[in-house]
Amino acid sequence: PAEERIRNFCIIAHVDHGKSTLADRLLEATGAIATSAKNAQVLDTMELERERGITIKLQAARMTYTAADGHAYILNLIDTPGHVDFGYEVERSLQACEGAILVVDASQGVEAQTIAVVQSARAQGLEIVPVLNKIDLPTAQPDRVAAEVQAILGLDCTRAIHASAKERRGIGEILEAVVARVPPPRAGSRARPLRCLVFDSSYDAHRGVIASVRVVDGALRLGDRIAFLNSGAEYEALELGVLVPHARPVHSLAAGEVGYVCGAIRALADAKVGETLAHAADARAQPPRVAPLPGYREPRPMVFCGLFLHDGDRFELLRDSLAKLALNDASLVYTAESSLALGSGFRVGFLGLLHMEVVQQRLEREYGLELVMTAPSVAYRVTTTRGERILVDSPDKFPEQSAIASVEEPFCAVEIIAPFDCTGALMELCQEARGEFGNMQPAGDGRVLLQYALPLGEVISGFFDSLKSRSRGYASMDYAPSDYRAADIVKLDVLINGERAAPLAMMVHRAAAQATGRRLAARLKELIPRQQFRVPIQAALGAKVIAAEHIAALRKDVTAKCYGGDQSRKKKLLMRQAEGKKRMKEIGRVSVPQSAFMACLSLR
Ligand code: GTP
């Protein structure tokens, strides 16, 4: 098809505002999927994704639509991941489009993520089409929300579309708006040397890497020798296709088109998201006839934790499982690590907390592993007194205090939208988290938009929970890593029965060390079951103990306190103990349950 008959667009929205439902409706209305197939959401393929309702992997669906002007158009809907952990992938998928449908729940209004995704879409120069969804709800106030979108996001809402994805209202209008308002791909680019943007890549056991591409310049044909410009790897294009939404092979893909390429590519590292695919001959020419598309970055892990097994015998399985997951997830990084208390395991880097949770669940569910995870931490930049600069992503690697000249910590830009009457409580929370106030403005409907710079280390340790509880569940937030700033960070050690519990060590801000140490010791006292002997628990900075507790020795019969002969209650208690035992690790002759390792998370 000619460029002027192609539209490449995506749908952007805050979580739960109806992105997936609307995507299904568009596919349905254009006949790409049968109307009856309303059970599964077609664009989300991973089981976990559907369960959690979060879009993780990007895909593209191609639709044919005959518009009111009588012409047939190819509409490529590019799916974007919905969470900030996948920010770089969102950016790449936006780059593959010329326009975006912005879905805003008309009963909720603009939320923190709405602002973040609109900013990204603007940065990519996309035409944004506002859609006010869920107008079927009695609580919907599309006019008020339209005014809000206009005031907060500065988007012209005079032509905002009122829709109900659920009741299939406004769908035709949205398709017409895509044709009329989203610009076609730039004309004339087909005469240039081939360049494609890889905006998604996944691994298939039979075909190797499947790269989703947007052809930016030139044309890609079956059998072409291709090269990835950043990795330098060369392959042959063995299969080309489009997703309608199921894979349909084609012979070529020309500039403006979206499709996928397979080339028996064995390593995901060769064809990462953000790569530029070109003809090998153009890449090899001296000087090269093509330059990589701008903006390529290696995905940068921001959150780290230790991953160990309850059952040390299955280490090989853990290693293989991580390798398999990494085949499909270029942003997952890990190195082997061993700990006296926990045995052999890995230090794993994630894009954020959600990414961490998804990986944990997949390892447990798909590979049947029982994991012990240490508290997550960020990576600090430490300069030693000898002038070395090291990246410290684990308390194990934190140098002795006397060897440290300075420490820098990662910061992030945070946007919070909350009811106005929570403003004081939330500003206090940000203050406690060492936040730097940025801006505050009304966000419509009695709400406020707060902008802060916050240390990422604070954001990943219980901040979301506090935010929710201090706003009665109403606040929404979004964060994006920004810069590194000087910080007085120290290593807080935990000693159980006199022995250092390496997995419980934390890197914390000096001002918070004492309070954290106290709370940690108190939590451990609750979480570690009594032993036959008295167990001291201490928190220390270097050799200096800053907080101490102890667990009294065990009484003979644990069930004695279950008064009377309440058998079911006794049984429950014993069962709970047995269950707990499975996840225990020995430190200083004391059995420490996994919940203790996660205790650091809920310290705020
Ligand atoms: P994520 O995948 O988590 O980003 O969410 P999403 O934005 O894709 O939202 P999704 O399509 O999964 O919809 C969220 C919820 O809103 C689901 O329970 C939908 O059934 C419901 N929903 C979507 N559109 C409408 C609508 O027009 N009206 C009503 N009443 N509910 C809707």
Side-chain angles (χ1 to χ4, degrees):
E3 285 111 319
E4 69 264 24
R5 296 278 183 265
I6 300 176
R7 298 292 181 274
N8 295 314
F9 71 105
C10 55
I11 306 178
I12 56 178
H14 186 78
V15 173
D16 275 350
H17 282 201
K19 192 177 88 172
S20 308
T21 312
L22 178 60
D24 282 357
R25 293 298 177 254
L26 298 180
L27 293 175
E28 231 178 66
T30 55
I33 55 169
T35 309
S36 58
K38 53 184 166 209
N39 47 344
Q41 290 184 333
V42 173
L43 283 183
D44 295 352
T45 45
M46 283 162 66
E47 173 210 3
L48 198 65
E49 233 177 287
R50 195 158 315 143
E51 234 168 75
R52 299 177 57 96
I54 300 164
T55 313
I56 298 167
K57 269 292 164 198
L58 317 163
Q59 288 187 5
R62 175 174 170 150
M63 301 169 263
T64 310
Y65 173 65
T66 304
D69 65 10
H71 294 292
Y73 290 83
I74 297 291
L75 309 184
N76 290 308
L77 169 56
I78 292 168
D79 201 16
T80 55
H83 191 275
V84 63
D85 275 7
F86 309 100
Y88 176 63
E89 299 192 354
V90 175
E91 189 189 294
R92 293 289 110 170
S93 52
L94 296 180
Q95 210 178 50
C97 307
E98 278 79 30
I101 296 177
L102 169 67
V103 177
V104 184
D105 183 331
S107 70
Q108 302 283 333
V110 172
E111 296 289 354
Q113 260 178 44
T114 320
I115 300 178
V117 288
V118 167
Q119 281 167 350
S120 311
R122 276 228 184 86
Q124 299 296 335
L126 303 192
E127 176 68 33
I128 300 172
V129 178
V131 169
L132 307 163
N133 189 35
K134 306 200 188 183
I135 52 161
D136 58 285
L137 291 176
T139 49
Q141 293 180 285
D143 294 329
R144 172 183 74 66
V145 172
E148 205 173 287
V149 170
Q150 188 137 2
I152 301 170
L153 304 170
L155 288 172
D156 176 12
C157 278
T158 44
R159 288 187 292 166
I161 299 165
H162 293 206
S164 163
K166 186 181 171 194
E167 295 184 350
R168 299 179 169 80
R169 285 155 66 186
I171 306 300
E173 229 180 306
I174 293 170
L175 288 166
E176 282 299 317
V178 168
V179 168
R181 291 161 66 180
V182 173
R186 196 162 43 101
S189 43
R190 291 186 177 174
R192 295 169 212 254
L194 173 73
R195 288 201 298 179
C196 306
L197 171 73
V198 176
F199 62 88
D200 181 30
S201 70
S202 59
Y203 188 82
D204 177 277
H206 303 290
R207 295 187 290 179
V209 175
I210 303 172
S212 292
V213 296
R214 156 77 195 261
V215 187
V216 177
D217 295 321
L220 175 60
R221 283 172 205 87
L222 206 58
D224 283 354
R225 273 311 283 176
I226 52 173
F228 293 95
L229 298 185
N230 295 290
S231 72
E234 284 190 17
Y235 292 96
E236 186 183 330
L238 296 175
E239 185 184 336
L240 300 180
V242 292
L243 299 165
V244 287
H246 302 291
R248 190 183 83 201
V250 297
H251 289 285
S252 70
L253 290 169
E257 292 194 276
V258 172
Y260 67 88
V261 189
C262 305
I265 304 168
R266 282 289 139 216
L268 199 64
D270 287 343
K272 283 186 184 164
V273 170
E275 264 284 4
T276 304
L277 184 159
H279 279 137
D282 291 337
R284 263 192 262 126
Q286 279 307 333
R289 284 191 287 267
V290 282
L293 294 162
Y296 177 75
R297 266 190 285 128
E298 287 286 323
R300 195 165 45 132
M302 297 304 295
V303 175
F304 301 81
C305 83
L307 210 72
F308 297 90
L309 285 170
H310 179 261
D311 179 1
D313 295 348
R314 308 183 76 193
F315 177 72
E316 301 290 310
L317 180 60
L318 175 59
R319 198 184 50 203
D320 294 348
S321 312
L322 271 173
K324 271 193 202 136
L325 283 191
L327 273 179
N328 235 318
D329 184 350
S331 37
L332 183 66
V333 294
Y334 57 96
T335 47
E337 180 179 83
S338 78
S339 132
L340 276 179
L342 300 174
S344 301
F346 292 94
R347 189 80 192 161
V348 189
F350 308 93
L351 297 174
L353 284 182
L354 176 83
H355 188 206
M356 178 171 106
E357 221 181 293
V358 167
V359 169
Q360 174 197 359
Q361 290 195 9
R362 292 193 61 188
L363 286 172
E364 296 196 328
R365 210 179 296 174
E366 293 169 31
Y367 300 94
L369 293 165
E370 272 189 84
L371 300 172
V372 175
M373 298 175 80
T374 62
S377 74
V378 297
Y380 296 98
R381 283 186 188 156
V382 176
T383 307
T384 65
T385 45
R386 289 173 31 209
E388 280 173 294
R389 280 169 61 93
I390 47 175
L391 201 63
V392 177
D393 61 22
S394 140
D396 281 354
K397 299 183 196 154
F398 204 76
E400 291 289 323
Q401 207 59 44
S402 59
I404 295 176
S406 65
V407 183
E408 287 174 285
E409 65 178 332
F411 260 66
C412 52
V414 174
E415 271 152 0
I416 298 169
I417 289 192
F420 195 78
D421 63 351
C422 305
T423 312
L426 296 184
M427 289 178 87
E428 211 174 281
L429 171 67
C430 292
Q431 220 75 52
E432 287 164 23
R434 296 185 292 117
E436 242 169 63
F437 177 76
N439 192 24
M440 174 170 136
Q441 67 182 83
D445 195 30
R447 301 182 309 164
V448 64
L449 165 64
L450 290 172
Q451 287 167 314
Y452 269 87
L454 278 167
L456 181 63
E458 301 283 339
V459 173
I460 66 166
S461 37
F463 188 81
F464 294 105
D465 293 343
S466 305
L467 184 80
K468 285 287 175 198
S469 70
R470 294 197 200 183
S471 65
R472 303 180 306 276
Y474 284 117
S476 69
M477 87 167 245
D478 200 89
Y479 70 100
S482 53
D483 52 342
Y484 272 79
R485 302 186 187 186
D488 192 3
I489 303 294
V490 291
K491 179 177 169 185
L492 180 68
D493 277 312
V494 173
L495 291 88
I496 298 174
N497 202 20
E499 189 180 317
R500 253 171 235 285
L504 293 179
M506 288 173 84
M507 299 178 283
V508 295
H509 194 265
R510 188 184 299 276
Q514 174 121 43
T516 308
R518 274 206 202 113
R519 262 175 292 184
L520 191 50
R523 273 317 286 284
L524 287 170
K525 180 182 176 174
E526 285 169 28
L527 293 166
I528 299 176
R530 287 177 170 199
Q531 313 287 316
Q532 304 295 342
F533 45 89
R534 183 178 186 274
V535 178
I537 296 174
Q538 296 160 312
L541 296 182
K544 189 170 160 232
V545 173
I546 56 168
E549 290 277 356
H550 74 269
I551 304 169
L554 186 63
R555 281 187 291 167
K556 281 233 170 67
D557 182 2
V558 272
T559 58
K561 62 179 168 210
C562 296
Y563 30 80
D566 188 341
Q567 282 303 322
S568 72
R569 198 150 166 198
K570 247 187 217 178
K571 227 196 282 170
K572 229 193 240 164
L573 181 60
L574 290 171
M575 250 163 62
R576 218 180 306 143
Q577 282 196 337
E579 179 62 29
K581 280 235 175 58
K582 281 202 282 178
R583 294 206 161 212
M584 300 240 204
K585 285 288 171 184
E586 290 275 319
I587 293 173
R589 289 167 50 227
V590 177
S591 300
V592 182
Q594 185 185 17
S595 52
F597 297 120
M598 297 310 278
C600 319
L601 262 177
S602 51
L603 275 181
R604 210 166 292 275

